[in-house]
Amino acid sequence: MKKIRTLFLLATLILASCKEGKKQDYLPESIGAYNTLTVVINNDLWKSEVGDNIRRHFAAPALGLSWDEAQFRITQIPHQIFSGSIRNTRAVLYVMEDTLDIAHMKSNMYAKPQLIGVIKGRNHQEIIENLDEKAPEFITEYKELEVAEAQKKFLKSLSKEKALQEKLGISLNVPSVYKVGREEENFVWIDRQIQKGNMNIIAYSVPWDTFENDSTFVKDIVSMRDSIGNLFIPGEDIPGKNNHMITEKAFSPYVFPAEVGGRKAAEVRGRWEMSEYPMAGPFLTYIINDKPNNRKLVLEGFTFAPATEKRDYMFELEAILKTVKFNE
């Protein structure tokens, strides 16, 4: 009898698991433009200090751009509007004054992939405290979701060019709209034309011991970038001038620890300019510890698009660079 009850319980659990699996299978595909966050919150709360706190965290300027652009484009809707297809939005922040004091992230509730950050509190102060605690974690998860979605889109039409494999022993999932513009023994430049300029990816390596002193790390990064610009990235031809890309002199780049392609790296965000000509824009560099090949692999994306917002361009370049794989 005990054996029968055990089998019955096991069958019930399997059936429940199957039903849950089917529920997941039937979820619609999530919707939403990249880097857009739908904030579900009533209008009074949105206009209060709670809304100010949300904007301070989630609409903070993205780092390294030519001018301030919010890291997320925020759309606010009240709770009663959060129904139907709107619930299929990919990135959601659900904020509510309630009898509960909670803050957590839920996945794939109404669509997939989807993240819904839930923040509740019994008063404004509790909501703000929960936001302050959870916002950095939520921002990281939202950004990872957006990057993963962009990378899935790349797979629909990938470049077949082999320059990165042949010159550097790596591969990137680069959309076919990008073309190799220059390749040397230890340098590859890939770019695509956009309406008001271009988007660029460069890849090269430097010796493993290039950065030996932590106290001069940022200075050494600038020196490395400027030397590569001098060698490979010329600007407008100006008589008597050596015009080439350099790191913007008036702006010290941001440097963070990162992991790219399964290896430790430094992430560098800043602005580039031409040494002798008024051109500039944002760049994102990953300096990757490639110990198996006794080198630092450098991947960089930079954009030239005057008088144009550049956040989404730099986001696409980031998503591409993070697909790097090393040849075995």
Side-chain angles (χ1 to χ4, degrees), residues 283-316:
F283 73 83
L284 165 64
T285 304
Y286 289 112
I287 304 169
I288 304 172
N289 291 341
D290 185 16
K291 188 62 176 175
N293 293 298
N294 197 35
R295 65 180 182 175
K296 306 284 190 183
L297 176 72
V298 183
L299 302 177
E300 178 168 309
F302 65 92
T303 297
F304 174 62
T308 304
E309 292 186 339
K310 303 171 184 63
R311 180 198 61 194
D312 290 348
Y313 294 147
M314 295 306 297
F315 165 75
E316 178 173 300

mmCIF file of all heavy atoms in Angstrom, residues 283-316:
data_model
loop_
_atom_site.group_PDB
_atom_site.id
_atom_site.type_symbol
_atom_site.label_atom_id
_atom_site.label_comp_id
_atom_site.label_asym_id
_atom_site.label_seq_id
_atom_site.Cartn_x
_atom_site.Cartn_y
_atom_site.Cartn_z
ATOM 1 N N PHE A 283 33.464 55.208 -27.025
ATOM 2 C CA PHE A 283 34.064 53.900 -27.286
ATOM 3 C C PHE A 283 33.835 52.984 -26.096
ATOM 4 O O PHE A 283 33.642 53.428 -24.956
ATOM 5 C CB PHE A 283 35.558 54.012 -27.607
ATOM 6 C CG PHE A 283 36.444 54.338 -26.427
ATOM 7 C CD1 PHE A 283 36.885 53.343 -25.561
ATOM 8 C CD2 PHE A 283 36.850 55.649 -26.179
ATOM 9 C CE1 PHE A 283 37.696 53.635 -24.469
ATOM 10 C CE2 PHE A 283 37.668 55.957 -25.098
ATOM 11 C CZ PHE A 283 38.091 54.949 -24.235
ATOM 12 N N LEU A 284 33.868 51.692 -26.364
ATOM 13 C CA LEU A 284 33.815 50.644 -25.347
ATOM 14 C C LEU A 284 34.914 49.643 -25.669
ATOM 15 O O LEU A 284 34.957 49.101 -26.775
ATOM 16 C CB LEU A 284 32.450 49.934 -25.366
ATOM 17 C CG LEU A 284 32.365 48.597 -24.611
ATOM 18 C CD1 LEU A 284 32.586 48.797 -23.122
ATOM 19 C CD2 LEU A 284 31.027 47.907 -24.877
ATOM 20 N N THR A 285 35.798 49.417 -24.695
ATOM 21 C CA THR A 285 36.930 48.511 -24.897
ATOM 22 C C THR A 285 36.902 47.400 -23.860
ATOM 23 O O THR A 285 36.652 47.656 -22.681
ATOM 24 C CB THR A 285 38.272 49.269 -24.776
ATOM 25 O OG1 THR A 285 38.289 50.359 -25.703
ATOM 26 C CG2 THR A 285 39.450 48.346 -25.054
ATOM 27 N N TYR A 286 37.163 46.172 -24.308
ATOM 28 C CA TYR A 286 37.388 45.054 -23.397
ATOM 29 C C TYR A 286 38.831 44.590 -23.561
ATOM 30 O O TYR A 286 39.264 44.254 -24.668
ATOM 31 C CB TYR A 286 36.438 43.900 -23.688
ATOM 32 C CG TYR A 286 35.007 44.197 -23.307
ATOM 33 C CD1 TYR A 286 34.027 44.344 -24.279
ATOM 34 C CD2 TYR A 286 34.645 44.355 -21.969
ATOM 35 C CE1 TYR A 286 32.714 44.636 -23.930
ATOM 36 C CE2 TYR A 286 33.339 44.651 -21.610
ATOM 37 C CZ TYR A 286 32.380 44.792 -22.596
ATOM 38 O OH TYR A 286 31.088 45.092 -22.240
ATOM 39 N N ILE A 287 39.579 44.589 -22.449
ATOM 40 C CA ILE A 287 40.942 44.074 -22.431
ATOM 41 C C ILE A 287 40.880 42.725 -21.715
ATOM 42 O O ILE A 287 40.681 42.656 -20.505
ATOM 43 C CB ILE A 287 41.897 45.036 -21.708
ATOM 44 C CG1 ILE A 287 41.837 46.420 -22.361
ATOM 45 C CG2 ILE A 287 43.324 44.501 -21.733
ATOM 46 C CD1 ILE A 287 42.537 47.511 -21.562
ATOM 47 N N ILE A 288 41.010 41.646 -22.478
ATOM 48 C CA ILE A 288 40.710 40.303 -21.985
ATOM 49 C C ILE A 288 42.003 39.544 -21.685
ATOM 50 O O ILE A 288 42.924 39.517 -22.503
ATOM 51 C CB ILE A 288 39.874 39.532 -23.029
ATOM 52 C CG1 ILE A 288 38.601 40.323 -23.380
ATOM 53 C CG2 ILE A 288 39.511 38.147 -22.513
ATOM 54 C CD1 ILE A 288 37.820 39.745 -24.539
ATOM 55 N N ASN A 289 42.040 38.926 -20.516
ATOM 56 C CA ASN A 289 43.189 38.103 -20.140
ATOM 57 C C ASN A 289 43.147 36.783 -20.912
ATOM 58 O O ASN A 289 42.409 35.868 -20.553
ATOM 59 C CB ASN A 289 43.177 37.811 -18.642
ATOM 60 C CG ASN A 289 43.448 39.053 -17.817
ATOM 61 O OD1 ASN A 289 43.972 40.043 -18.308
ATOM 62 N ND2 ASN A 289 43.083 39.002 -16.541
ATOM 63 N N ASP A 290 43.931 36.693 -21.963
ATOM 64 C CA ASP A 290 43.996 35.473 -22.769
ATOM 65 C C ASP A 290 45.284 34.724 -22.426
ATOM 66 O O ASP A 290 46.225 34.664 -23.224
ATOM 67 C CB ASP A 290 43.939 35.837 -24.257
ATOM 68 C CG ASP A 290 43.868 34.607 -25.153
ATOM 69 O OD1 ASP A 290 43.562 33.510 -24.633
ATOM 70 O OD2 ASP A 290 44.135 34.741 -26.361
ATOM 71 N N LYS A 291 45.304 34.164 -21.213
ATOM 72 C CA LYS A 291 46.507 33.485 -20.721
ATOM 73 C C LYS A 291 46.913 32.297 -21.580
ATOM 74 O O LYS A 291 48.119 32.082 -21.808
ATOM 75 C CB LYS A 291 46.281 33.035 -19.268
ATOM 76 C CG LYS A 291 47.535 32.496 -18.594
ATOM 77 C CD LYS A 291 48.616 33.562 -18.500
ATOM 78 C CE LYS A 291 49.832 33.062 -17.743
ATOM 79 N NZ LYS A 291 50.944 34.037 -17.749
ATOM 80 N N PRO A 292 45.977 31.488 -22.096
ATOM 81 C CA PRO A 292 46.400 30.354 -22.936
ATOM 82 C C PRO A 292 47.251 30.779 -24.130
ATOM 83 O O PRO A 292 48.065 29.991 -24.620
ATOM 84 C CB PRO A 292 45.065 29.742 -23.385
ATOM 85 C CG PRO A 292 44.117 30.075 -22.278
ATOM 86 C CD PRO A 292 44.512 31.455 -21.837
ATOM 87 N N ASN A 293 47.049 32.015 -24.600
ATOM 88 C CA ASN A 293 47.836 32.511 -25.723
ATOM 89 C C ASN A 293 48.860 33.562 -25.290
ATOM 90 O O ASN A 293 49.442 34.245 -26.145
ATOM 91 C CB ASN A 293 46.912 33.083 -26.793
ATOM 92 C CG ASN A 293 46.055 32.016 -27.452
ATOM 93 O OD1 ASN A 293 46.569 31.091 -28.078
ATOM 94 N ND2 ASN A 293 44.746 32.117 -27.292
ATOM 95 N N ASN A 294 49.042 33.693 -23.963
ATOM 96 C CA ASN A 294 50.051 34.590 -23.395
ATOM 97 C C ASN A 294 49.934 36.015 -23.956
ATOM 98 O O ASN A 294 50.931 36.627 -24.364
ATOM 99 C CB ASN A 294 51.463 34.035 -23.648
ATOM 100 C CG ASN A 294 52.497 34.687 -22.744
ATOM 101 O OD1 ASN A 294 52.207 35.007 -21.599
ATOM 102 N ND2 ASN A 294 53.697 34.888 -23.270
ATOM 103 N N ARG A 295 48.713 36.531 -23.924
ATOM 104 C CA ARG A 295 48.482 37.867 -24.483
ATOM 105 C C ARG A 295 47.270 38.500 -23.810
ATOM 106 O O ARG A 295 46.510 37.836 -23.101
ATOM 107 C CB ARG A 295 48.220 37.774 -25.988
ATOM 108 C CG ARG A 295 46.929 37.025 -26.315
ATOM 109 C CD ARG A 295 46.651 36.913 -27.793
ATOM 110 N NE ARG A 295 45.373 36.233 -28.014
ATOM 111 C CZ ARG A 295 44.803 36.058 -29.207
ATOM 112 N NH1 ARG A 295 45.428 36.483 -30.308
ATOM 113 N NH2 ARG A 295 43.634 35.440 -29.310
ATOM 114 N N LYS A 296 47.101 39.786 -24.042
ATOM 115 C CA LYS A 296 45.857 40.477 -23.741
ATOM 116 C C LYS A 296 45.145 40.708 -25.078
ATOM 117 O O LYS A 296 45.721 41.315 -25.993
ATOM 118 C CB LYS A 296 46.117 41.834 -23.078
ATOM 119 C CG LYS A 296 46.999 41.792 -21.843
ATOM 120 C CD LYS A 296 46.269 41.277 -20.641
ATOM 121 C CE LYS A 296 47.123 41.477 -19.380
ATOM 122 N NZ LYS A 296 46.496 40.934 -18.172
ATOM 123 N N LEU A 297 43.946 40.201 -25.187
ATOM 124 C CA LEU A 297 43.159 40.453 -26.384
ATOM 125 C C LEU A 297 42.340 41.714 -26.161
ATOM 126 O O LEU A 297 41.677 41.864 -25.130
ATOM 127 C CB LEU A 297 42.223 39.275 -26.678
ATOM 128 C CG LEU A 297 41.278 39.485 -27.861
ATOM 129 C CD1 LEU A 297 42.045 39.438 -29.177
ATOM 130 C CD2 LEU A 297 40.163 38.448 -27.861
ATOM 131 N N VAL A 298 42.376 42.613 -27.112
ATOM 132 C CA VAL A 298 41.660 43.880 -26.996
ATOM 133 C C VAL A 298 40.563 43.927 -28.053
ATOM 134 O O VAL A 298 40.830 43.791 -29.257
ATOM 135 C CB VAL A 298 42.601 45.092 -27.169
ATOM 136 C CG1 VAL A 298 41.830 46.397 -26.965
ATOM 137 C CG2 VAL A 298 43.771 45.003 -26.196
ATOM 138 N N LEU A 299 39.323 44.081 -27.583
ATOM 139 C CA LEU A 299 38.175 44.266 -28.472
ATOM 140 C C LEU A 299 37.593 45.639 -28.187
ATOM 141 O O LEU A 299 37.389 46.000 -27.028
ATOM 142 C CB LEU A 299 37.105 43.204 -28.218
ATOM 143 C CG LEU A 299 37.519 41.745 -28.381
ATOM 144 C CD1 LEU A 299 36.353 40.828 -28.010
ATOM 145 C CD2 LEU A 299 37.973 41.468 -29.806
ATOM 146 N N GLU A 300 37.302 46.372 -29.230
ATOM 147 C CA GLU A 300 36.760 47.722 -29.023
ATOM 148 C C GLU A 300 35.664 48.023 -30.040
ATOM 149 O O GLU A 300 35.758 47.650 -31.210
ATOM 150 C CB GLU A 300 37.861 48.774 -29.156
ATOM 151 C CG GLU A 300 37.344 50.209 -29.004
ATOM 152 C CD GLU A 300 38.471 51.221 -28.858
ATOM 153 O OE1 GLU A 300 39.350 50.996 -27.993
ATOM 154 O OE2 GLU A 300 38.481 52.226 -29.585
ATOM 155 N N GLY A 301 34.622 48.700 -29.560
ATOM 156 C CA GLY A 301 33.584 49.230 -30.432
ATOM 157 C C GLY A 301 33.545 50.728 -30.264
ATOM 158 O O GLY A 301 33.627 51.235 -29.145
ATOM 159 N N PHE A 302 33.450 51.443 -31.363
ATOM 160 C CA PHE A 302 33.315 52.895 -31.281
ATOM 161 C C PHE A 302 32.394 53.394 -32.388
ATOM 162 O O PHE A 302 32.243 52.755 -33.439
ATOM 163 C CB PHE A 302 34.674 53.613 -31.313
ATOM 164 C CG PHE A 302 35.455 53.470 -32.599
ATOM 165 C CD1 PHE A 302 35.330 54.394 -33.627
ATOM 166 C CD2 PHE A 302 36.339 52.413 -32.763
ATOM 167 C CE1 PHE A 302 36.064 54.273 -34.802
ATOM 168 C CE2 PHE A 302 37.079 52.271 -33.934
ATOM 169 C CZ PHE A 302 36.947 53.205 -34.959
ATOM 170 N N THR A 303 31.771 54.525 -32.117
ATOM 171 C CA THR A 303 30.751 55.065 -33.022
ATOM 172 C C THR A 303 31.081 56.495 -33.405
ATOM 173 O O THR A 303 31.515 57.289 -32.565
ATOM 174 C CB THR A 303 29.364 55.033 -32.346
ATOM 175 O OG1 THR A 303 29.003 53.681 -32.075
ATOM 176 C CG2 THR A 303 28.297 55.649 -33.238
ATOM 177 N N PHE A 304 30.857 56.807 -34.681
ATOM 178 C CA PHE A 304 30.879 58.192 -35.149
ATOM 179 C C PHE A 304 29.503 58.488 -35.719
ATOM 180 O O PHE A 304 29.088 57.905 -36.713
ATOM 181 C CB PHE A 304 31.944 58.411 -36.224
ATOM 182 C CG PHE A 304 31.899 59.791 -36.822
ATOM 183 C CD1 PHE A 304 32.119 60.913 -36.038
ATOM 184 C CD2 PHE A 304 31.617 59.965 -38.171
ATOM 185 C CE1 PHE A 304 32.068 62.195 -36.588
ATOM 186 C CE2 PHE A 304 31.559 61.237 -38.735
ATOM 187 C CZ PHE A 304 31.791 62.353 -37.938
ATOM 188 N N ALA A 305 28.768 59.361 -35.052
ATOM 189 C CA ALA A 305 27.412 59.709 -35.481
ATOM 190 C C ALA A 305 27.085 61.098 -34.934
ATOM 191 O O ALA A 305 26.411 61.235 -33.910
ATOM 192 C CB ALA A 305 26.400 58.689 -34.984
ATOM 193 N N PRO A 306 27.592 62.142 -35.583
ATOM 194 C CA PRO A 306 27.415 63.499 -35.050
ATOM 195 C C PRO A 306 25.954 63.895 -34.937
ATOM 196 O O PRO A 306 25.131 63.540 -35.785
ATOM 197 C CB PRO A 306 28.160 64.376 -36.068
ATOM 198 C CG PRO A 306 28.281 63.537 -37.298
ATOM 199 C CD PRO A 306 28.342 62.132 -36.839
ATOM 200 N N ALA A 307 25.639 64.621 -33.864
ATOM 201 C CA ALA A 307 24.297 65.143 -33.600
ATOM 202 C C ALA A 307 23.240 64.044 -33.550
ATOM 203 O O ALA A 307 22.087 64.256 -33.916
ATOM 204 C CB ALA A 307 23.919 66.187 -34.660
ATOM 205 N N THR A 308 23.641 62.856 -33.103
ATOM 206 C CA THR A 308 22.735 61.709 -33.033
ATOM 207 C C THR A 308 22.915 60.997 -31.699
ATOM 208 O O THR A 308 24.031 60.880 -31.197
ATOM 209 C CB THR A 308 23.042 60.706 -34.171
ATOM 210 O OG1 THR A 308 22.956 61.374 -35.424
ATOM 211 C CG2 THR A 308 22.065 59.550 -34.159
ATOM 212 N N GLU A 309 21.825 60.498 -31.122
ATOM 213 C CA GLU A 309 21.938 59.704 -29.899
ATOM 214 C C GLU A 309 22.668 58.395 -30.207
ATOM 215 O O GLU A 309 22.438 57.777 -31.247
ATOM 216 C CB GLU A 309 20.551 59.428 -29.321
ATOM 217 C CG GLU A 309 19.866 60.695 -28.799
ATOM 218 C CD GLU A 309 18.553 60.404 -28.093
ATOM 219 O OE1 GLU A 309 17.978 59.320 -28.333
ATOM 220 O OE2 GLU A 309 18.111 61.251 -27.306
ATOM 221 N N LYS A 310 23.517 57.986 -29.301
ATOM 222 C CA LYS A 310 24.423 56.875 -29.601
ATOM 223 C C LYS A 310 24.273 55.687 -28.639
ATOM 224 O O LYS A 310 24.983 54.688 -28.785
ATOM 225 C CB LYS A 310 25.865 57.369 -29.588
ATOM 226 C CG LYS A 310 26.113 58.523 -30.563
ATOM 227 C CD LYS A 310 27.492 59.123 -30.374
ATOM 228 C CE LYS A 310 27.694 60.324 -31.283
ATOM 229 N NZ LYS A 310 26.778 61.443 -30.990
ATOM 230 N N ARG A 311 23.390 55.804 -27.658
ATOM 231 C CA ARG A 311 23.275 54.725 -26.671
ATOM 232 C C ARG A 311 22.991 53.383 -27.326
ATOM 233 O O ARG A 311 23.653 52.383 -27.031
ATOM 234 C CB ARG A 311 22.155 55.035 -25.677
ATOM 235 C CG ARG A 311 21.959 53.965 -24.592
ATOM 236 C CD ARG A 311 20.616 54.083 -23.921
ATOM 237 N NE ARG A 311 19.532 53.909 -24.879
ATOM 238 C CZ ARG A 311 18.269 54.217 -24.639
ATOM 239 N NH1 ARG A 311 17.933 54.726 -23.478
ATOM 240 N NH2 ARG A 311 17.340 54.018 -25.567
ATOM 241 N N ASP A 312 22.031 53.335 -28.222
ATOM 242 C CA ASP A 312 21.648 52.053 -28.811
ATOM 243 C C ASP A 312 22.706 51.531 -29.780
ATOM 244 O O ASP A 312 22.864 50.310 -29.929
ATOM 245 C CB ASP A 312 20.294 52.182 -29.509
ATOM 246 C CG ASP A 312 19.159 52.364 -28.509
ATOM 247 O OD1 ASP A 312 19.386 52.161 -27.297
ATOM 248 O OD2 ASP A 312 18.037 52.718 -28.928
ATOM 249 N N TYR A 313 23.451 52.431 -30.422
ATOM 250 C CA TYR A 313 24.572 51.987 -31.253
ATOM 251 C C TYR A 313 25.629 51.299 -30.396
ATOM 252 O O TYR A 313 26.128 50.219 -30.736
ATOM 253 C CB TYR A 313 25.212 53.176 -31.981
ATOM 254 C CG TYR A 313 24.330 53.849 -33.016
ATOM 255 C CD1 TYR A 313 24.429 55.213 -33.247
ATOM 256 C CD2 TYR A 313 23.421 53.126 -33.763
ATOM 257 C CE1 TYR A 313 23.636 55.843 -34.199
ATOM 258 C CE2 TYR A 313 22.614 53.740 -34.716
ATOM 259 C CZ TYR A 313 22.729 55.103 -34.932
ATOM 260 O OH TYR A 313 21.942 55.719 -35.858
ATOM 261 N N MET A 314 25.967 51.934 -29.272
ATOM 262 C CA MET A 314 26.981 51.356 -28.391
ATOM 263 C C MET A 314 26.481 50.060 -27.741
ATOM 264 O O MET A 314 27.262 49.135 -27.508
ATOM 265 C CB MET A 314 27.386 52.365 -27.326
ATOM 266 C CG MET A 314 28.091 53.602 -27.882
ATOM 267 S SD MET A 314 29.519 53.198 -28.925
ATOM 268 C CE MET A 314 30.591 52.377 -27.739
ATOM 269 N N PHE A 315 25.183 49.984 -27.499
ATOM 270 C CA PHE A 315 24.603 48.746 -26.968
ATOM 271 C C PHE A 315 24.784 47.606 -27.967
ATOM 272 O O PHE A 315 25.153 46.481 -27.587
ATOM 273 C CB PHE A 315 23.115 48.961 -26.675
ATOM 274 C CG PHE A 315 22.342 47.691 -26.466
ATOM 275 C CD1 PHE A 315 22.453 46.967 -25.286
ATOM 276 C CD2 PHE A 315 21.513 47.187 -27.467
ATOM 277 C CE1 PHE A 315 21.752 45.783 -25.099
ATOM 278 C CE2 PHE A 315 20.818 46.014 -27.292
ATOM 279 C CZ PHE A 315 20.935 45.310 -26.100
ATOM 280 N N GLU A 316 24.545 47.853 -29.241
ATOM 281 C CA GLU A 316 24.732 46.806 -30.248
ATOM 282 C C GLU A 316 26.184 46.357 -30.291
ATOM 283 O O GLU A 316 26.471 45.148 -30.359
ATOM 284 C CB GLU A 316 24.302 47.305 -31.625
ATOM 285 C CG GLU A 316 24.513 46.280 -32.736
ATOM 286 C CD GLU A 316 23.944 46.714 -34.069
ATOM 287 O OE1 GLU A 316 22.715 46.939 -34.140
ATOM 288 O OE2 GLU A 316 24.735 46.843 -35.034
#
